[in-house]
């Protein structure tokens, strides 16, 4: 019987282990190895940190790296600021069918691919787009306005793409906040602001942190949105990785970039958890 | 003086009216219990006093101050919730001091008030724990402590004992009664349990469907109910009701095959009435044979005999001492006529 149970466990775990090993572990180990080798001449390699040195010594790489980190952080903060009231409304104020309908509405954009969604923004924002035409029609501007290919457009796209991943964990944690706990706050002499700060936000912290982690990682690793909405000047780090791998066939440098991105996201997630006193198990589990 | 006065208070949720013009005066230092079946509006009324529900019409005065449109924090009340509503991320001491912290009191004041409340409630050993590490009774104590620390003029309790098991409920009931003696503040307490109402209250307000049925001291309501609902609600087991008709100054009760000569002046003949008889006032007469004993519940000190009349109505009779009637027996009933209540069958009002 015990042997059978053991076999069952092994069989159950096999797909997961296969997935982890084949798709996560092996590629990353290989990427690490690739990033640590230096091409001396055609087909001749030696182990060195040259690729990482190239990353650190080239200001363009470093600046793009930092810019991506800062923009992703900003996108996360904006998503949180917009997502929190929305989630609070869905979780605590809307009731019954309205609640499920609103929740579903957050999901609707995800029925089409990211490409189509981003293209939707391009239709709105480009020089000959809807908003530009509307402004001209209303006489508010003279001549077409280009609203694409700048940081604001990237930001709009990132926030839009990530909203659902912020709203879902927030709604889930806010739904577990009992109404009486909020009422007791008012009864004990709190106003809206102090109740929000002392009661609602502490309760929602696990949801806030897990939402922020997911949104941050998605923004950092996003490729399509910054390229399409930011154009050639988007300077997004994933674009650098892409060009090293695909355009320049410099797999070694690309792999080093990939590792830097992994380190950056791990560091920021770790910092976020430390700062809020949360553990990964609590926020994700 | 911090009494509470409700003047023609009305509550509507959209089209639905749940409180229909309640007038009530609660004196300073009084322990007032709102009691009634679920859905009678007792909790809504309490929440209106707390300011957690808006008052649609009418006015609420606390200590002669019109608080009808005030925020909960300005009303000088503190509420104890059925679910305790403690903050899981704070310790017991932080929970209790939270109200003062929110209103910007200095740390020393908070600490001394928390110490005082924890002494009254015997919470000293738990001050550094979080609510999760406490039992239900201790959590309710913390919730009460949080209200005490706030130093309100009026305490509001919303079914505070409903989430506790039977034994703890009795213990906390005694505790709350002691607290009221010690603090002497006005308290309003909502419950559906008439035992809690009877044991705690100076004044009971019986509510049904958003209307006050009767207000009075516990024993007044017990011995002198204004209507059939109050008669049936106060007292345990509940009052028995038998259908009857008036005839020649008497009440003819077919269920007992008997005419009751109640000490009342009944002039109108043929009026449909309901005769109310409390289980503890009745006595089984083994010599009779009108009623059938369906079953008996022996609780030790007392036992309850469930009787069926020939008309199919049921009665409960309390028996004390060692005499126990067996199920299946045919018995009669001794009725103390001065302790029988008469209600109009249609209006349900008491006929005095």
């Amino acid at each position: 019987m015990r042997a059978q149970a053991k076999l069952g466990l092994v069989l159950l775990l096999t797909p997961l282990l296969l997935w982890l090993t084949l798709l996560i572990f092996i590629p990353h180990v290989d990427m690490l190895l690739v990033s640590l080798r230096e091409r001396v001449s055609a087909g001749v390699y030696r182990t060195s940190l040259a690729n990482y040195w190239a990353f650190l010594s080239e200001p363009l790489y470093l600046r793009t790296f930092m810019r991506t980190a800062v923009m992703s952080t900003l996108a996360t903060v904006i998503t949180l600021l917009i997502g929190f009231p929305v989630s609070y409304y869905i979780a605590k104020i809307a009731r019954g069918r309205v609640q499920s309908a609103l929740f579903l509405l957050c999901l609707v954009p995800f029925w089409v691919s990211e490409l189509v969604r981003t293209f939707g923004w391009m239709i709105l924002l480009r020089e000959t787009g809807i908003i530009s035409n509307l402004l001209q029609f209303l006489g508010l501007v003279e001549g077409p306005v280009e609203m694409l290919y700048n940081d604001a457009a990237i930001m709009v796209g990132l926030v839009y793409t990530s909203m659902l991943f912020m709203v879902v964990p927030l709604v889930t944690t806010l739904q577990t906040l009992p109404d009486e706990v909020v009422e007791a706050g008012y009864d004990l002499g709190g106003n809206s602001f102090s109740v929000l700060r002392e009661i609602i936000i502490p309760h929602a912290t696990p949801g806030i942190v897990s939402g922020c982690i997911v949104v941050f990682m998605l923004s950092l690793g996003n490729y399509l949105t910054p390229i399409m909405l930011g154009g050639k000047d988007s300077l997004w780090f994933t674009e650098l990785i892409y060009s090293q791998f695909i355009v320049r066939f410099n797999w070694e440098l690309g792999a080093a970039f990939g590792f830097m991105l992994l380190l950056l996201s791990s560091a920021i997630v770790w910092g976020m958890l430390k700062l809020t006193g949360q553990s990964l198990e609590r926020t994700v589990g | 003086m911090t009494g509470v006065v409700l003047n023609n208070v009305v509550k509507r949720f959209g089209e639905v009216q749940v409180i229909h013009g309640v007038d009530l005066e609660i004196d300073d230092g009084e322990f007032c219990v709102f009691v009634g079946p679920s859905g009678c509006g007792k909790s809504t009324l309490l929440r209106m006093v707390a300011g957690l529900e808006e008052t649609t019409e009418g006015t609420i005065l606390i200590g002669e101050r019109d608080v009808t449109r005030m925020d909960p924090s300005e009303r000088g009340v503190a509420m104890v919730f059925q679910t305790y509503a403690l903050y899981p991320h704070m310790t017991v001491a932080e929970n209790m001091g939270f109200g003062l912290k929110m209103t910007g009191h200095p740390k020393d004041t908070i600490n001394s008030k928390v110490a005082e409340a924890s002494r009254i409630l015997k919470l000293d050993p738990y001050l550094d724990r979080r609510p999760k590490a406490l039992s239900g009774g201790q959590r309710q104590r913390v919730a009460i402590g949080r209200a005490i620390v706030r130093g309100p003029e009026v305490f509001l309790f919303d079914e505070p004992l409903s989430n506790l098991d039977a034994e703890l409920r009795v213990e906390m009931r005694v505790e709350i009664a002691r607290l009221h003696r010690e603090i002497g503040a006005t308290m309003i307490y909502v419950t559906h349990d008439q035992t809690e109402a009877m044991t705690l209250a100076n004044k009971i307000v019986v509510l049904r469907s958003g209307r006050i049925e009767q207000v009075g001291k516990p024993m007044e309501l017990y011995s002198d109910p204004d209507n059939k609902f109050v008669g049936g609600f106060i007292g345990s087991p509940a009052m028995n009701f038998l259908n009857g008709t008036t005839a020649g100054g008497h009440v003819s009760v077919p269920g007992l095959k008997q005419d009751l000569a109640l000490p009342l002046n009944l002039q109108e003949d043929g009026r449909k009435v309901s005769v109310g008889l409390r289980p503890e006032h009745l006595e089984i007469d083994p010599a009779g044979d009108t009623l059938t004993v369906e079953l008996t519940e022996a609780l030790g000190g007392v036992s309850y005999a469930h009787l069926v009349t020939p008309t199919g109505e049921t009665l409960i009779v309390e028996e004390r001492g060692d005499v126990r009637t067996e199920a299946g027996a045919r018995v009669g009933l001794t009725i103390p006529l001065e302790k029988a209540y008469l209600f109009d069958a249609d209006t349900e009002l008491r006929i005095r």
Side-chain angles (χ1 to χ4, degrees):
Chain A
M1 196 59 208
R2 283 201 54 192
Q4 262 182 4
K6 221 171 182 178
L7 182 70
L9 186 70
V10 169
L11 284 176
L12 275 173
L13 282 179
T14 307
L16 176 73
L17 288 175
L18 272 177
W19 181 69
L20 282 175
T21 326
L22 288 178
L23 297 175
I24 312 253
F25 187 68
I26 294 180
H28 274 86
V29 169
D30 192 52
M31 208 162 83
L32 180 67
L33 294 177
V34 171
S35 76
L36 287 173
R37 72 185 185 196
E38 188 192 353
R39 210 171 86 123
V40 185
S41 61
V44 184
Y45 296 96
R46 67 167 180 198
T47 306
S48 84
L49 288 172
N51 295 312
Y52 291 94
W53 178 244
F55 167 75
L56 291 172
S57 54
E58 169 57 57
L60 175 70
Y61 298 158
L62 211 54
R63 250 184 252 143
T64 308
F65 187 69
M66 291 319 289
R67 176 185 143 81
T68 308
V70 170
M71 290 276 283
S72 297
T73 311
L74 193 62
T76 310
V77 171
I78 294 175
T79 313
L80 176 64
L81 290 181
I82 299 174
F84 197 86
V86 171
S87 310
Y88 192 80
Y89 188 85
I90 294 176
K92 300 308 294 179
I93 297 170
R95 291 273 175 258
R97 285 170 68 174
V98 180
Q99 188 176 39
S100 359
L102 285 175
F103 203 40
L104 209 66
L105 273 180
C106 291
L107 208 96
V108 166
F110 288 80
W111 282 357
V112 294
S113 89
E114 194 186 349
L115 189 70
V116 179
R117 244 179 299 143
T118 314
F119 195 69
W121 277 109
M122 295 181 75
I123 292 173
L124 282 176
L125 296 177
R126 69 182 174 188
E127 219 175 340
T128 53
I130 291 172
I131 295 178
S132 172
N133 279 331
L134 188 71
L135 289 175
Q136 289 176 73
F137 176 76
L138 291 174
L140 294 171
V141 291
E142 288 169 26
V145 208
E146 177 64 275
M147 275 169 278
L148 272 180
Y149 313 125
N150 56 43
D151 287 359
I154 299 180
M155 202 51 80
V156 165
L158 287 176
V159 169
Y160 177 69
T161 318
S162 322
M163 195 50 76
L164 181 75
F165 301 95
M166 185 62 88
V167 167
V168 169
L170 280 179
V171 166
T172 318
T173 44
L174 284 172
Q175 268 173 339
T176 63
L177 176 71
D179 290 342
E180 302 89 60
V181 168
V182 178
E183 287 177 346
Y186 288 113
D187 187 67
L188 288 165
N191 52 37
S192 304
F193 176 70
S194 55
V195 167
L196 178 72
R197 192 190 56 202
E198 302 282 345
I199 298 164
I200 298 171
I201 289 180
H203 181 92
T205 304
I208 293 174
V209 174
S210 79
C212 285
I213 289 176
V214 173
V215 169
F216 178 76
M217 285 180 170
L218 282 176
S219 301
L220 201 64
N222 202 329
Y223 175 73
L224 200 65
T225 307
I227 303 302
M228 284 180 74
L229 297 178
K232 279 179 183 152
D233 304 327
S234 69
L235 293 175
W236 209 254
F237 198 65
T238 45
E239 195 192 354
L240 282 189
I241 300 177
Y242 177 86
S243 67
Q244 291 305 328
F245 271 105
I246 308 294
V247 183
R248 305 181 52 185
F249 284 107
N250 192 348
W251 280 40
E252 291 74 23
L253 192 58
F257 284 0
F259 250 84
M260 289 314 295
L261 196 65
L262 181 66
L263 281 181
L264 176 71
S265 73
S266 307
I268 289 190
V269 167
W270 182 81
M272 209 144 43
L273 289 172
K274 279 288 151 222
L275 206 69
T276 52
Q278 299 288 315
S279 70
L280 201 61
E281 294 82 18
R282 234 190 108 189
T283 48
V284 181
Chain B
M1 286 297 287
T2 45
V4 178
V5 180
L6 307 184
N7 283 326
N8 194 24
V9 163
V10 169
K11 175 72 190 176
R12 269 184 231 107
F13 288 110
E15 295 288 293
V16 190
Q17 186 162 356
V18 291
I19 302 286
H20 302 267
V22 166
D23 286 301
L24 181 65
E25 265 184 54
I26 301 166
D27 297 332
D28 182 32
E30 206 164 30
F31 199 117
C32 175
V33 175
F34 294 174
V35 69
S38 58
C40 72
K42 54 190 191 298
S43 279
T44 310
L45 201 55
L46 186 79
R47 292 166 58 82
M48 285 160 76
V49 175
L52 297 173
E53 298 283 0
E54 265 179 49
T55 306
T56 318
E57 279 170 35
T59 51
I60 299 173
L61 307 176
I62 296 177
E64 283 152 27
R65 217 157 44 101
D66 186 348
V67 298
T68 318
R69 303 277 163 242
M70 282 188 189
D71 281 341
S73 56
E74 298 166 352
R75 295 192 177 203
V77 300
M79 182 127 157
V80 176
F81 293 83
Q82 180 179 353
T83 52
Y84 322 132
L86 298 176
Y87 303 120
H89 58 280
M90 298 180 199
T91 64
V92 167
E94 284 167 346
N95 261 289
M96 297 214 297
F98 186 66
L100 293 182
K101 193 183 150 203
M102 292 271 251
T103 41
H105 284 73
K107 257 206 175 114
D108 296 347
T109 321
I110 300 178
N111 288 344
S112 70
K113 293 239 173 156
V114 169
E116 166 75 8
S118 76
R119 186 190 57 75
I120 296 176
L121 294 164
K122 302 183 189 76
L123 282 168
D124 289 326
Y126 312 111
L127 283 178
D128 293 328
R129 293 206 197 161
R130 286 186 196 261
K132 220 179 1 181
L134 300 178
S135 70
Q138 289 165 340
R139 281 182 211 181
Q140 191 53 273
R141 270 204 192 98
V142 176
I144 295 171
R146 192 168 66 180
I148 294 175
V149 168
R150 184 132 149 75
E153 295 168 359
V154 180
F155 283 84
L156 307 173
F157 293 91
D158 188 8
E159 307 218 17
L161 307 184
S162 309
N163 282 12
L164 303 177
D165 59 46
E167 203 179 320
L168 263 173
R169 205 145 49 200
V170 176
E171 200 179 295
M172 285 303 291
R173 206 168 70 202
V174 175
E175 191 109 335
I176 290 174
R178 184 177 63 86
L179 189 76
H180 179 242
R181 260 202 326 275
E182 211 163 309
I183 298 180
T186 311
M187 297 189 176
I188 307 178
Y189 187 106
V190 162
T191 181
H192 60 266
D193 180 354
Q194 60 95 23
T195 318
E196 275 174 35
M198 291 295 283
T199 50
L200 286 169
N202 305 127
K203 178 184 272 175
I204 294 183
V205 179
V206 183
L207 288 157
R208 178 168 61 157
S209 331
R211 289 190 176 84
I212 292 185
E213 292 285 321
Q214 194 174 352
V215 181
K217 292 198 174 82
M219 284 314 285
E220 280 172 15
L221 295 192
Y222 174 80
S223 57
D224 193 15
D226 278 348
N227 53 51
K228 192 177 167 182
F229 178 77
V230 175
F233 197 80
I234 303 290
S236 169
M239 188 184 273
N240 300 298
F241 296 104
L242 294 173
N243 294 323
T245 2
T246 55
H250 294 237
V251 179
S252 131
V253 182
L256 299 171
K257 292 186 180 166
Q258 210 177 333
D259 277 1
L260 301 178
L262 297 180
L264 296 166
N265 185 17
L266 301 169
Q267 305 200 328
E268 189 189 339
D269 279 3
R271 185 175 178 186
K272 293 221 174 306
V273 293
S274 189
V275 180
L277 301 165
R278 292 211 181 271
E280 55 272 34
H281 295 154
L282 298 172
E283 238 176 275
I284 284 180
D285 173 13
D289 68 344
T290 359
L291 305 157
T292 315
V293 181
E294 203 177 31
L295 69 114
T296 57
E297 295 173 301
L299 302 180
V302 295
S303 69
Y304 299 119
H306 294 244
L307 310 179
V308 185
T309 66
T311 49
E313 293 160 293
T314 55
L315 279 173
I316 296 177
V317 178
E318 186 179 306
E319 289 183 286
R320 297 190 168 274
D322 294 330
V323 193
R324 298 283 188 264
T325 314
E326 292 293 319
R330 309 268 302 168
V331 294
L333 216 51
T334 314
I335 298 164
L337 293 175
E338 72 287 355
K339 286 188 173 169
Y341 303 90
L342 202 60
F343 303 98
D344 187 283
D346 298 320
T347 62
E348 300 201 340
L349 291 176
R350 175 92 175 276
I351 304 170
R352 294 182 206 258

